Amino acid sequence: MDESPGGRSGSPDRHDRFAESDFGRVPETSLFIGISTLCAAAVRLTGADGAAVAVLTADTSTRELVYATDPVAQQIDELQFVIGEGPCLAAYRDNHEELWPELDAGPAAERWPAFTPEILALGVRAAFAFPVPGARRPIGVLELYRKTIGVLTAEARHSAAGCAFAIGKALQTNWHERVLAAGGVESAVALSELREPGFEEPGSFSRSEVYVASGMVAVQLGVSAEEGLDRLRAYSYAQGRSIVEVAADIVARRLSLRDQRDSIEGHG
């Protein structure tokens, strides 16, 4: 979804949900062991206020949040997932650092007209995204934010890039050990062709239910699976609610977008 989904109701539900999240006791799955430590290191070494790591498929249609240090970092990642624009996606697609030390300056708003006002409303004034390298192309992005404007020093940039590299190595190593445990040495041969880790093992921040819900929306509205996800994101944005929360309502059959056509018409 490359375009802004349009206006929204302004409901505070999305903000409230993230504020209630407990980031003090986040269990890690075997695939994501060590990522929280590396995020904490990135924050400490760069002077950032928070960090998150997301992994994506090559076409960015599937995106999982692996870890976030705090509710704001989590919400920044979800905004980019819902809106379909922002520094994380740009860093991943272009395999290049995205450094935005002053988000309330003109260029950021011109490039990301939907994302920028939303992130400024969160009190974020600077954002930085570093590709997480894989075997052939990025497998994800390390996202950093600050509540004050200011460039990253050369040393801080080097540290962030180093943390992104270490995160990529950790994901690859964890995946390698998982493959070995599942299938022995022969299965590890396939690892040399690995382009990106799979999302079969959900973590605490998993959006797996979102993809289930998008399939249900596709059936409800008689559209493709890809458009079903777009419609789900548009509805979430228009209502000012977390997409994870909306997805849970759809999967539990408390909500059907078949009955909400007016809320998503023209926003998909």
Side-chain angles (χ1 to χ4, degrees):
M1 189 170 69
D2 293 326
E3 301 297 326
S4 166
R8 58 191 180 91
S9 66
S11 166
D13 293 358
R14 181 191 295 154
H15 296 270
D16 292 344
R17 174 186 175 275
F18 284 98
E20 293 168 358
S21 298
D22 181 2
F23 289 81
R25 298 185 299 276
V26 179
E28 291 186 333
T29 67
S30 61
L31 185 57
F32 303 143
I33 288 174
I35 304 304
S36 62
T37 300
L38 290 167
C39 283
V43 169
R44 184 180 70 254
L45 294 171
T46 63
D49 288 303
V53 171
V55 289
L56 301 88
T57 55
D59 62 358
T60 71
S61 62
T62 303
R63 172 195 181 109
E64 278 281 23
L65 177 61
V66 173
Y67 182 77
T69 59
D70 60 88
V72 173
Q74 184 179 8
Q75 189 160 3
I76 292 169
D77 185 80
E78 174 156 317
L79 280 171
Q80 294 176 94
F81 175 73
V82 170
I83 296 173
E85 64 179 39
C88 176
L89 292 172
Y92 178 81
R93 288 168 175 159
D94 298 337
N95 191 17
H96 190 272
E97 299 172 1
E98 287 287 336
L99 308 174
W100 294 85
E102 192 172 355
L103 287 167
D104 51 2
E110 291 174 6
R111 186 170 184 185
W112 302 308
F115 171 75
T116 303
E118 293 276 357
I119 195 173
L120 289 174
L122 295 176
V124 175
R125 292 297 177 268
F128 312 96
F130 294 80
V132 171
R136 294 175 176 82
R137 55 162 292 116
I139 56 176
V141 178
L142 169 64
E143 310 166 63
L144 304 172
Y145 79 88
R146 280 181 177 166
K147 296 178 180 178
T148 56
I149 64 173
V151 300
L152 289 179
T153 65
E155 182 179 359
R157 286 180 62 181
H158 179 76
S159 296
C163 288
F165 179 82
I167 289 168
K169 285 295 185 183
L171 289 173
Q172 294 288 324
T173 298
N174 294 344
W175 181 265
H176 186 279
E177 292 176 352
R178 181 176 169 181
V179 170
L180 285 177
V185 176
E186 290 183 1
S187 297
V189 175
L191 199 67
S192 62
E193 299 302 318
L194 182 65
R195 292 181 180 272
E196 53 200 22
F199 303 136
E200 299 88 348
E201 183 176 345
S204 301
F205 300 95
S206 175
R207 295 191 180 108
S208 58
E209 195 168 40
V210 171
Y211 299 107
V212 174
S214 69
M216 294 175 66
V217 170
V219 173
Q220 291 169 7
L221 301 180
V223 298
S224 68
E226 181 178 358
E227 187 173 349
L229 179 58
D230 283 347
R231 296 294 186 94
L232 176 59
R233 290 193 281 194
Y235 178 83
S236 168
Y237 185 79
Q239 296 297 310
R241 297 182 61 198
S242 162
I243 194 170
V244 174
E245 197 174 71
V246 172
D249 283 347
I250 290 173
V251 172
R253 302 184 186 281
R254 294 187 293 267
L255 172 68
S256 170
L257 295 200
R258 181 184 293 113
D259 304 323
Q260 303 290 327
R261 292 181 184 274
D262 290 343
S263 298
I264 58 176
E265 194 68 34
H267 300 312

